[in-house]
């Protein structure tokens, strides 16, 4: 049987690296991207010979994403997972934050992931899945003011994916906005409630559970729908 293939965009460290490693453990063929040379991914490739390919791309670089598409144009991606994201000015509000920090988050967390999905969607078969890492904090209904600017960028991501789903309903793809929980990574910090091991295997289980279910869902690692 041919191995299933996943492309993880933004896999140099943290949750993206863990996603690549988890799918490798499950016998998948993994294409993992970093913005530059990644010693960690090179080591991972050594542990799973022949199963991990690495690519270089910055999701904010449209030409770079187009070039990645061209390099992969004969490939079939069972799952496209856009994980890349940043958090800046987490304690700030519009009155105190730098405009650059907010614009950087809107670009990296909202605009670029959906642009990458649009540019790469033809590599995903009708039975395939496009997943993007959002956050529980992207829920407008549940907002409590925490990480206000970052939360706004994830809410914008969710809105952009609503539009994407409506415009591309004919693709038949499973579309998932994934909330992984609060996890101890460079971004999540040491106070976060979950280890990577407590989050990522459940995220991958959740992606499998949604296989073959077309349409857009905003879901946590337990496959529970979140309020928009
Ligand atoms: N940790 C949490 O508690 C938590 C909770 C909810 C959602 N999330 C989301 O989960 C995702 C991963 O978070 P994390 O905790 O693993 O963060 P992290 O440790 O800071 O890692 C972020 C990853 O995104 C990559 N990245 C950032 N900007 C990029 C760009 N322009 N192009 C390509 N890659 C880029 C980074 O690459 P470099 O190494 O090159 O910087 C790195 O691999 C993010 O979308 C985040 O918003 C995290």
């Amino acid at each position: 049987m041919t191995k299933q293939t996943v492309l993880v965009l933004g896999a140099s460290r943290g949750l993206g690296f863990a996603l690549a490693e988890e799918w490798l453990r499950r016998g998948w063929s993994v294409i993992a991207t970093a913005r530059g040379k990644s010693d960690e991914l090179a080591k991972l490739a050594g542990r799973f010979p022949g199963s991990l390919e690495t690519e270089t791309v910055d999701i904010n670089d449209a030409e770079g994403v187009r070039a990645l598409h061209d390099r992969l144009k004969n490939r079939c991606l069972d799952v496209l997972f856009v994980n890349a994201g940043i958090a800046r000015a987490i304690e700030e509000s519009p009155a105190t934050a730098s405009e650059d920090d907010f614009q950087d988050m809107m670009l990296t967390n909202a605009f670029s992931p959906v642009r990458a999905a649009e540019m790469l969607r033809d590599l995903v078969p009708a039975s395939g899945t496009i997943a993007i890492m959002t956050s529980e904090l992207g829920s407008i209904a549940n907002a409590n003011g925490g990480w206000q600017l970052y939360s706004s960028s994830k809410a914008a991501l969710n809105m952009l994916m609503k539009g994407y789903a409506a415009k591309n309903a004919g693709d038949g793809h499973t579309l998932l906005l994934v909330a992984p929980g609060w996890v101890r990574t460079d971004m999540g910090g040491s106070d976060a409630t979950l280890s990577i091991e407590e989050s990522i295997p459940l995220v991958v289980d959740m992606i499998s559970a949604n296989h073959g279910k077309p349409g857009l869902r905003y879901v946590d690692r337990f496959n529970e729908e979140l309020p928009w």
Side-chain angles (χ1 to χ4, degrees):
M1 205 173 100
T2 334
K3 277 181 162 187
Q4 290 188 287
T5 300
V6 56
L7 169 62
V8 184
L9 293 179
S12 59
R13 57 196 167 91
L15 303 184
F17 182 88
L19 283 167
E21 187 175 29
E22 184 64 25
W23 263 302
L24 285 166
R25 278 202 201 101
R26 296 181 189 206
W28 282 50
S29 175
V30 176
I31 308 167
T33 78
R35 283 194 276 190
K37 191 172 164 298
S38 164
D39 292 340
E40 291 305 310
L41 284 176
K43 272 190 231 152
L44 189 61
R47 283 173 47 210
F48 295 92
S51 295
L52 175 63
E53 292 162 66
T54 55
E55 286 280 354
T56 305
V57 76
D58 182 325
I59 62 161
N60 293 339
D61 170 14
E63 282 314 311
V65 177
R66 195 166 287 118
L68 176 68
H69 172 273
D70 291 349
R71 291 197 295 279
L72 299 178
K73 67 173 182 288
N74 297 320
R75 306 295 293 273
C76 174
L77 305 176
D78 299 286
V79 176
L80 163 61
F81 199 114
V82 188
N83 168 73
I86 57 170
R88 303 261 161 82
I90 55 174
E91 304 290 344
E92 311 293 332
S93 72
T96 61
S98 98
E99 292 171 8
D100 283 350
D101 281 344
F102 184 62
Q103 285 169 2
D104 286 351
M105 283 191 287
M106 290 303 267
L107 180 65
T108 304
N109 295 349
F111 186 87
S112 296
V114 179
R115 177 173 61 189
E118 281 191 60
M119 292 174 76
L120 299 169
R121 59 187 256 273
D122 67 329
L123 305 178
V124 180
S127 59
T129 297
I130 298 178
I132 301 185
M133 200 68 106
T134 182
S135 169
E136 280 81 354
L137 296 177
S139 169
I140 291 176
N142 285 344
N144 63 9
W147 294 42
Q148 184 186 7
L149 303 175
Y150 168 86
S151 300
S152 303
S153 71
K154 292 295 192 180
L157 165 65
N158 292 358
M159 175 60 105
L160 281 166
M161 270 312 275
K162 274 269 188 182
Y164 174 100
K167 288 183 172 167
N168 299 295
D171 287 354
H173 291 151
T174 303
L175 301 173
L176 298 171
L177 284 160
V178 177
W182 187 22
V183 191
R184 291 187 291 278
T185 61
D186 292 341
M187 183 187 295
S190 54
D191 289 341
T193 46
L194 301 172
S195 66
I196 287 177
E197 296 70 30
E198 287 170 318
S199 168
I200 289 307
L202 292 177
V203 168
V204 175
D205 288 347
M206 180 275 285
I207 303 275
S208 302
N210 280 287
H211 175 73
K213 296 181 187 163
L216 177 65
R217 300 179 68 218
Y218 174 29
V219 274
D220 68 12
R221 64 193 184 283
F222 303 114
N223 204 15
E224 294 291 330
E225 300 231 14
L226 294 165
W228 296 90

